[in-house]
Amino acid sequence: MANNLLKGKKGIVFGALNDMSIAWKVAQRAHEEGAEFVLTNAPIAMRMGEINKLAEACGNVPVIPADATSMEDIENLFDKTMEHFGGKIDFILHSIGMSPNVRKGKHYTETNYDFYHKTMDISAMSLHRVLKVAYEKDAINDWGSVIALTYIAAQRVFPDYNDMADAKALLESISRSFGYHYGVKKKVRINTISQSPVMTTAGSGVKGFDEFLAYANDMSPLGNADADACANYVLSMFSDYTRYVTMQNLFHDGGFSNVGVSEGVIDKFKQ
Amino acid sequence: MANNLLKGKKGIVFGALNDMSIAWKVAQRAHEEGAEFVLTNAPIAMRMGEINKLAEACGNVPVIPADATSMEDIENLFDKTMEHFGGKIDFILHSIGMSPNVRKGKHYTETNYDFYHKTMDISAMSLHRVLKVAYEKDAINDWGSVIALTYIAAQRVFPDYNDMADAKALLESISRSFGYHYGVKKKVRINTISQSPVMTTAGSGVKGFDEFLAYANDMSPLGNADADACANYVLSMFSDYTRYVTMQNLFHDGGFSNVGVSEGVIDKFKQ
Amino acid sequence: MANNLLKGKKGIVFGALNDMSIAWKVAQRAHEEGAEFVLTNAPIAMRMGEINKLAEACGNVPVIPADATSMEDIENLFDKTMEHFGGKIDFILHSIGMSPNVRKGKHYTETNYDFYHKTMDISAMSLHRVLKVAYEKDAINDWGSVIALTYIAAQRVFPDYNDMADAKALLESISRSFGYHYGVKKKVRINTISQSPVMTTAGSGVKGFDEFLAYANDMSPLGNADADACANYVLSMFSDYTRYVTMQNLFHDGGFSNVGVSEGVIDKFKQ
Amino acid sequence: MANNLLKGKKGIVFGALNDMSIAWKVAQRAHEEGAEFVLTNAPIAMRMGEINKLAEACGNVPVIPADATSMEDIENLFDKTMEHFGGKIDFILHSIGMSPNVRKGKHYTETNYDFYHKTMDISAMSLHRVLKVAYEKDAINDWGSVIALTYIAAQRVFPDYNDMADAKALLESISRSFGYHYGVKKKVRINTISQSPVMTTAGSGVKGFDEFLAYANDMSPLGNADADACANYVLSMFSDYTRYVTMQNLFHDGGFSNVGVSEGVIDKFKQ
């Protein structure tokens, strides 16, 4: 599928670690649909990842490291990006999340509060920082579109999701709050996409993640949405077909969010 | 527990069929808390039920049959009730629901539309009829409270709940819509309580209902709320402690509505 | 804008009355994006409207009258459509709504229940009928997409919207309920789009509608979404970019739904 | 009104500054309803406030200062409280919120991130700290009830509410997340009450707050809920009448949350 959906559009893609990342797929598909963009990730993530391969595959696009908790880095990112394009951009993908509490195996009821602050800083406030810098530098064209990836744990409890649930709730609130102000001032729209769980590098080591994927798949009439499908949906939200959608949390989950129980799950309770 | 919570309050309780009914428990508990009320149910339901025993146990309260789809019956009910009390009432419990499609085993995708209209008429529009008659007769005191029982199938799909899901969505909308007008005019508040599944006469014959109860119980941190607990919650909503709550759908479900998955459910997906 | 977004896709568009209709715009834009479709409307609406002009402008597409409350008409519509295309379709737009209570000026608290049943029948159950017929005839390709237009009155009270609010709540519930079953069986996805108010033939005669449009516009950071923008959004939902979105109610409203108050509205309360 | 609703119940009330505070009213009313409790507030707030008067009026209850961002203080508070009562408690009111960004007049788009972290720490994470300490010390009886006060800005944008909106979204998420774990382990239930705006010391200096109160009042069919009514509602949630309500956000707002527009607001758009 390639329809020049994003022809002439310019943007920044945060968070492409490797080819399991949704951001990676978004970059690939955005390239196929005619967009130009800059890739960025945290310096440490870039060392682990293979972002340069992606940059090549997308036509040698610039890769600009930026720690999303550093104002200096984000300012540098926007300056370099606007210099590269000779002007403003049209879209941003925010796909950033990390919880030291999860990494260190701290149960939600035993949170370390320094870690908790870091989870919020990296996973939620980073969106505010990006938007604040963009707003100050007037870096986004009218009707530009910002998407942040989120998860339904912001609404309902998934016990193992830990403080990332709170971070996603905060992220979605920031998206609404900033969406109001940026919408009023510059018609920039800001939305979150609440995606099915996908097996990424982050998920692959988590105990019980396979069972969880199976459950989510069973509860979703269309099955779990995968990263490729998510990328397509992100593109539709970057395109001009969706101009008046803003401040929304959009479920891309095969129907999961509106299913109370599936026949398959009930079957598990038989015997 | 008895605190005279409803001392001096008068009301109408719809839908007490037998001692498994939530409405039955509400009547019992309202009596214990000092309320006076009239009992009513459909003529046909009264023949099957044991409502007269309940009436005796509550101090020989009047039992007035009324088909909730008949304006004539509802008008008669309100006339007799106001005559009995020599004035207005303070609370109404609407616990009415029936789907001919469910009874006849018609799958949701094979709905009979005459049945569907009846499901809406009995299970949802009946609330509108009751409120319309009350409104016209000015039968409810200022700050009076109306509660209709509903289920989370109004928000999320439970495949076997069939067209009752649509009826509950309609019921909740009527509660909001009429709640606005009745609130503005007379400070009457109207809410729905979205209750855990309970084993009632209606549920006891349904295939797979035991498994479903087990699932809901497992997903609810406090377990399924039972009919006794529901009655207490209804009383709190009839009382003066909750005067400014209106047009809301209130989940009384042990937390079910905000749980994405429980550890117990995930365990079922292991192996 | 034209990207062959719907190239090769076939569908049915309900509800194009005249060039103020959203359905009219959807048809025009779907044609530009490479779709083929059949137009339909109620026989009586077709007499008032100018649907044949639209059919011509879209490449002489068939116009097949159908009363959306008649199973016979809907069956005929699907038979003729599948005959015309020599096979299945990919998308359906449901843009149907009418309230005799609104037309006759009956206040919500004074509803005529025969009218109320008709409002539900025409505005909500019609979606169920269309889906039931499609399901029985296996008329929709895997991953096909059905969109019904709705309004936020399904969630919050807009006093003049009357029983159409209840109809929209019912419509959205039907969309979820059928969305589950059709998703499980055939990967067909069903969503509602909750659109900003627009001045259509239906709205143009309503007292206070101009003020209401001004209020909604003021509350929406991007302003009210117009019919052209809505058409584009519908197309994105028909396209393959949004395959895993189902059972959702999608706000296309310039942000209105997530604004509690705007600065403009507060200004009106000064002095 | 006094029904011994909380007879025999013990608790902690956070946040009573002066007689305009909701927490102050909750303490007064809890005392009237037979509860015993400890009062607490931040040391700095206690210097400004008149909490000792309240302590006297409630039967000389202990006043224990605690900075809600200090684990040490919270641990001390729980130790002293359990010592005072010779055992566990039954309820906690969390009424804590402060934003340095609001105080310093920083617009949402110009947030100072150190301030932002403080807003989250004081207004949201404080609930987590309180619950973590209670959980570790097993300080709450089975079926105990925790209420945190919140505002609808967590769901919809009120431009002047600034980063407190994000803090309330985070607070509500913490309430759900911890509500799951505490419910599973000890049947403790945790809810937030989303209250109408009230003129408190915090609100009285805010530019445009009077207009905002007038708007909210006009949009609410029952008018704005005041602090006294809120106190009653809190008591009902502490009582045994509401045992199976957990992880919910409960609107106590005269209907505001489910009104799309009122006739009064539309009138402002006339001429």
Side-chain angles (χ1 to χ4, degrees):
Chain A
M1 185 164 56
N3 298 282
N4 278 317
L5 199 67
L6 301 184
K7 196 177 176 186
K9 299 223 180 278
K10 297 164 179 63
I12 300 175
V13 175
F14 284 82
L17 183 69
N18 58 34
D19 64 6
M20 297 173 85
S21 316
I22 292 173
W24 187 285
K25 307 284 189 183
V26 169
Q28 282 185 315
R29 290 286 296 116
H31 176 63
E32 290 168 20
E33 295 286 353
E36 295 172 80
F37 46 83
V38 163
L39 293 171
T40 182
N41 211 338
I44 190 167
M46 287 173 58
R47 252 171 285 143
M48 297 157 51
E50 308 150 49
I51 201 168
N52 291 326
K53 281 192 216 164
L54 176 64
E56 265 179 59
C58 295
N60 287 310
V61 304
V63 179
I64 304 170
D67 175 343
T69 66
S70 154
M71 291 307 281
E72 207 184 326
D73 281 16
I74 300 173
E75 285 175 6
N76 177 61
L77 169 66
F78 273 88
D79 287 341
K80 293 246 171 81
T81 299
M82 293 176 79
E83 200 182 299
H84 171 70
F85 289 128
K88 300 187 190 184
I89 61 171
D90 303 289
F91 64 85
I92 296 171
L93 176 72
H94 178 282
S95 176
I96 303 172
M98 203 278 285
S99 160
N101 278 308
V102 171
R103 293 225 172 159
K104 303 288 185 187
K106 305 285 283 182
H107 191 263
Y108 185 77
T109 59
E110 295 165 354
T111 284
N112 171 305
Y113 293 104
D114 289 335
F115 291 173
Y116 192 96
H117 270 296
K118 277 201 185 108
T119 304
M120 299 305 130
D121 208 20
I122 296 169
S123 312
M125 290 169 60
S126 58
L127 178 64
H128 196 294
R129 289 179 204 270
V130 166
L131 291 169
K132 185 186 177 199
V133 170
Y135 192 88
E136 280 170 3
K137 294 187 185 293
D138 192 14
I140 309 182
N141 283 313
D142 283 23
W143 301 104
S145 174
V146 178
I147 291 289
L149 295 181
T150 187
Y151 185 54
I152 191 175
Q155 284 78 40
R156 299 182 206 156
V157 176
F158 295 78
D160 293 333
Y161 207 70
N162 211 316
D163 61 350
M164 278 304 296
D166 301 341
K168 291 305 195 187
L170 187 59
L171 179 80
E172 294 177 15
S173 181
I174 289 170
S175 157
R176 282 188 297 272
S177 297
F178 225 119
Y180 175 86
H181 295 293
Y182 222 146
V184 166
K185 190 159 186 198
K186 289 279 175 181
K187 307 275 186 198
V188 170
R189 52 212 172 87
I190 306 175
N191 297 282
T192 50
I193 289 179
S194 189
Q195 162 66 18
S196 291
V198 291
M199 182 54 82
T200 60
T201 303
S204 64
V206 179
K207 181 177 68 75
F209 198 69
D210 285 339
E211 290 84 357
F212 176 61
L213 278 179
Y215 162 76
N217 195 60
D218 196 289
M219 286 281 281
S220 307
L222 305 181
N224 289 332
D226 65 15
D228 290 296
C230 186
N232 284 328
Y233 191 42
V234 170
L235 301 193
S236 80
M237 292 305 302
F238 286 162
S239 82
D240 292 328
Y241 289 82
T242 57
R243 277 198 166 185
Y244 279 86
V245 179
T246 195
M247 302 168 67
Q248 302 299 315
N249 182 40
L250 302 161
F251 289 99
H252 181 258
D253 64 359
F256 179 88
S257 46
N258 284 334
V259 172
V261 75
S262 66
E263 283 153 41
V265 168
I266 286 296
D267 283 346
K268 301 274 186 188
F269 281 80
K270 286 189 178 146
Q271 85 237 223
Chain B
M1 185 164 57
N3 298 283
N4 278 318
L5 199 67
L6 301 185
K7 196 177 176 186
K9 299 220 180 281
K10 296 164 179 63
I12 301 176
V13 175
F14 284 82
L17 182 70
N18 60 32
D19 65 7
M20 296 173 87
S21 316
I22 292 174
W24 187 285
K25 308 284 190 185
V26 170
Q28 282 185 315
R29 289 285 297 116
H31 176 63
E32 291 168 21
E33 295 286 353
E36 296 172 80
F37 46 84
V38 163
L39 293 171
T40 183
N41 212 336
I44 190 168
M46 287 174 58
R47 252 172 284 143
M48 296 156 52
E50 307 151 49
I51 201 168
N52 291 326
K53 280 193 216 164
L54 176 65
E56 265 179 57
C58 295
N60 287 311
V61 304
V63 178
I64 304 169
D67 175 344
T69 66
S70 154
M71 290 307 282
E72 207 183 325
D73 281 16
I74 300 172
E75 284 175 7
N76 177 61
L77 168 66
F78 273 89
D79 288 341
K80 292 247 172 80
T81 299
M82 292 177 79
E83 199 182 299
H84 172 70
F85 289 128
K88 300 187 191 184
I89 61 171
D90 303 288
F91 64 85
I92 295 171
L93 176 71
H94 178 282
S95 175
I96 303 172
M98 204 278 285
S99 160
N101 278 309
V102 170
R103 294 226 171 159
K104 303 288 185 187
K106 304 286 282 183
H107 191 265
Y108 186 76
T109 59
E110 295 165 353
T111 284
N112 171 305
Y113 293 104
D114 289 334
F115 291 173
Y116 192 97
H117 270 295
K118 278 202 185 107
T119 303
M120 300 304 129
D121 209 19
I122 296 169
S123 312
M125 290 169 59
S126 58
L127 177 64
H128 196 294
R129 289 179 204 270
V130 165
L131 292 169
K132 186 187 177 199
V133 171
Y135 191 88
E136 280 170 3
K137 294 186 184 292
D138 193 13
I140 308 181
N141 282 313
D142 283 23
W143 301 103
S145 174
V146 178
I147 291 288
L149 296 181
T150 187
Y151 185 54
I152 192 176
Q155 284 77 41
R156 298 181 208 156
V157 175
F158 295 78
D160 292 333
Y161 207 70
N162 210 316
D163 61 350
M164 278 304 295
D166 300 342
K168 291 305 196 187
L170 187 59
L171 179 80
E172 295 176 16
S173 181
I174 289 170
S175 157
R176 283 189 297 272
S177 296
F178 225 120
Y180 175 86
H181 295 293
Y182 223 146
V184 166
K185 189 159 186 197
K186 289 280 173 179
K187 307 274 185 198
V188 170
R189 53 213 171 89
I190 307 175
N191 296 282
T192 50
I193 289 179
S194 189
Q195 161 66 19
S196 290
V198 292
M199 182 54 83
T200 61
T201 302
S204 65
V206 179
K207 180 178 67 78
F209 198 69
D210 285 339
E211 289 84 357
F212 177 60
L213 278 178
Y215 162 75
N217 195 60
D218 196 287
M219 286 281 282
S220 306
L222 306 180
N224 288 332
D226 65 15
D228 290 297
C230 186
N232 283 328
Y233 191 43
V234 169
L235 301 193
S236 79
M237 291 306 303
F238 286 163
S239 82
D240 292 327
Y241 289 82
T242 57
R243 277 197 168 187
Y244 278 86
V245 180
T246 195
M247 302 168 68
Q248 302 299 315
N249 182 41
L250 301 160
F251 290 98
H252 181 258
D253 64 358
F256 178 89
S257 46
N258 284 333
V259 173
V261 75
S262 65
E263 284 154 40
V265 169
I266 286 296
D267 283 347
K268 301 275 184 188
F269 281 80
K270 287 187 177 144
Q271 85 239 231
Chain C
M1 187 164 55
N3 298 283
N4 278 317
L5 199 67
L6 301 184
K7 195 176 175 187
K9 298 219 181 282
K10 296 165 180 64
I12 301 176
V13 175
F14 284 82
L17 183 69
N18 59 33
D19 64 6
M20 297 172 86
S21 315
I22 292 173
W24 187 284
K25 307 283 189 184
V26 170
Q28 283 186 315
R29 290 285 297 116
H31 175 62
E32 290 168 20
E33 295 285 354
E36 295 173 80
F37 47 83
V38 162
L39 293 171
T40 182
N41 211 338
I44 190 167
M46 288 173 58
R47 252 172 283 141
M48 296 156 52
E50 307 150 51
I51 201 168
N52 291 326
K53 280 193 217 165
L54 176 64
E56 266 178 58
C58 295
N60 288 310
V61 304
V63 178
I64 304 169
D67 175 343
T69 66
S70 154
M71 290 307 281
E72 206 184 326
D73 281 17
I74 300 173
E75 284 175 7
N76 176 62
L77 168 66
F78 273 87
D79 288 340
K80 293 247 172 78
T81 299
M82 292 177 79
E83 199 182 300
H84 172 71
F85 290 127
K88 300 187 190 183
I89 60 171
D90 303 288
F91 64 85
I92 296 172
L93 176 72
H94 179 282
S95 175
I96 302 173
M98 204 278 284
S99 161
N101 278 308
V102 170
R103 292 227 173 157
K104 303 289 186 186
K106 304 286 283 184
H107 190 265
Y108 186 77
T109 59
E110 295 165 355
T111 284
N112 172 304
Y113 292 104
D114 290 334
F115 291 173
Y116 191 97
H117 270 296
K118 277 201 185 109
T119 304
M120 299 305 129
D121 209 19
I122 297 168
S123 311
M125 291 170 58
S126 58
L127 177 63
H128 196 293
R129 290 179 204 270
V130 165
L131 292 169
K132 186 187 176 199
V133 170
Y135 191 89
E136 281 170 3
K137 294 185 184 293
D138 193 14
I140 309 182
N141 282 312
D142 282 23
W143 300 104
S145 174
V146 178
I147 291 289
L149 297 181
T150 186
Y151 186 54
I152 192 175
Q155 283 78 38
R156 299 182 206 155
V157 176
F158 295 78
D160 293 333
Y161 207 70
N162 210 318
D163 61 350
M164 278 303 296
D166 300 342
K168 291 303 196 188
L170 186 59
L171 178 80
E172 294 177 16
S173 181
I174 290 170
S175 156
R176 281 189 297 272
S177 297
F178 225 120
Y180 175 85
H181 295 292
Y182 223 146
V184 166
K185 190 159 186 197
K186 289 280 173 179
K187 306 276 185 197
V188 170
R189 52 212 171 89
I190 307 176
N191 296 283
T192 50
I193 289 179
S194 189
Q195 160 66 20
S196 291
V198 291
M199 182 54 83
T200 60
T201 302
S204 66
V206 179
K207 180 178 69 74
F209 197 70
D210 286 339
E211 289 84 356
F212 177 60
L213 278 179
Y215 162 75
N217 195 61
D218 196 288
M219 285 282 280
S220 307
L222 305 181
N224 290 331
D226 66 15
D228 290 296
C230 186
N232 284 327
Y233 190 43
V234 170
L235 300 194
S236 79
M237 291 305 303
F238 286 163
S239 82
D240 292 328
Y241 289 82
T242 57
R243 276 197 168 186
Y244 278 86
V245 179
T246 195
M247 303 169 66
Q248 303 299 315
N249 181 40
L250 303 160
F251 289 99
H252 182 259
D253 64 359
F256 179 88
S257 46
N258 284 334
V259 172
V261 74
S262 65
E263 284 155 39
V265 168
I266 286 296
D267 283 346
K268 301 274 185 188
F269 280 80
K270 287 192 177 142
Q271 86 240 231
Chain D
M1 184 164 57
N3 298 282
N4 278 317
L5 198 68
L6 301 184
K7 195 174 177 190
K9 297 220 181 282
K10 296 164 180 63
I12 301 176
V13 175
F14 284 82
L17 182 70
N18 59 32
D19 65 5
M20 297 172 86
S21 315
I22 292 174
W24 187 284
K25 308 283 189 185
V26 170
Q28 282 186 316
R29 289 286 296 116
H31 176 63
E32 291 168 20
E33 295 286 353
E36 295 173 80
F37 47 83
V38 163
L39 293 171
T40 183
N41 212 338
I44 189 167
M46 288 174 58
R47 250 171 286 141
M48 297 156 51
E50 307 151 49
I51 200 168
N52 292 326
K53 280 192 215 165
L54 176 65
E56 267 179 57
C58 295
N60 288 311
V61 304
V63 178
I64 304 169
D67 175 342
T69 66
S70 154
M71 290 308 281
E72 207 184 325
D73 281 16
I74 299 173
E75 284 175 6
N76 177 62
L77 169 66
F78 273 88
D79 288 341
K80 293 246 171 81
T81 299
M82 291 177 79
E83 198 183 300
H84 171 71
F85 289 128
K88 300 188 191 183
I89 60 171
D90 303 288
F91 64 85
I92 296 173
L93 176 71
H94 178 283
S95 175
I96 302 172
M98 203 278 285
S99 161
N101 278 309
V102 171
R103 293 228 172 156
K104 302 289 185 186
K106 304 285 284 183
H107 190 265
Y108 186 77
T109 58
E110 295 167 353
T111 285
N112 172 305
Y113 293 104
D114 291 333
F115 291 173
Y116 191 97
H117 270 295
K118 278 202 183 107
T119 303
M120 299 305 129
D121 208 20
I122 297 169
S123 311
M125 290 169 60
S126 58
L127 177 64
H128 196 293
R129 289 178 204 270
V130 166
L131 292 169
K132 187 187 177 199
V133 171
Y135 192 88
E136 280 170 4
K137 294 185 184 292
D138 192 14
I140 308 182
N141 282 312
D142 282 22
W143 301 104
S145 174
V146 179
I147 291 289
L149 297 181
T150 186
Y151 185 54
I152 192 176
Q155 283 78 39
R156 299 182 206 155
V157 176
F158 295 78
D160 293 333
Y161 207 70
N162 210 317
D163 61 350
M164 278 303 296
D166 300 341
K168 291 305 196 188
L170 187 59
L171 179 80
E172 294 176 17
S173 182
I174 289 170
S175 155
R176 282 189 297 273
S177 298
F178 225 121
Y180 174 86
H181 295 292
Y182 222 147
V184 166
K185 190 159 186 197
K186 289 279 174 182
K187 306 275 184 197
V188 170
R189 53 211 170 89
I190 307 176
N191 297 282
T192 50
I193 289 179
S194 188
Q195 160 67 20
S196 291
V198 292
M199 182 55 83
T200 60
T201 303
S204 65
V206 179
K207 181 176 67 78
F209 198 70
D210 285 338
E211 290 84 357
F212 176 61
L213 278 178
Y215 162 75
N217 194 61
D218 195 288
M219 285 281 280
S220 306
L222 305 181
N224 290 332
D226 65 16
D228 290 297
C230 186
N232 284 327
Y233 190 44
V234 170
L235 301 193
S236 79
M237 292 305 303
F238 286 162
S239 82
D240 292 328
Y241 289 82
T242 57
R243 276 197 168 187
Y244 279 86
V245 180
T246 195
M247 303 169 66
Q248 301 299 315
N249 182 41
L250 302 161
F251 289 99
H252 181 260
D253 64 358
F256 179 88
S257 45
N258 284 334
V259 173
V261 74
S262 65
E263 284 154 40
V265 168
I266 286 295
D267 283 347
K268 300 276 184 186
F269 281 78
K270 288 192 177 140
Q271 85 238 235

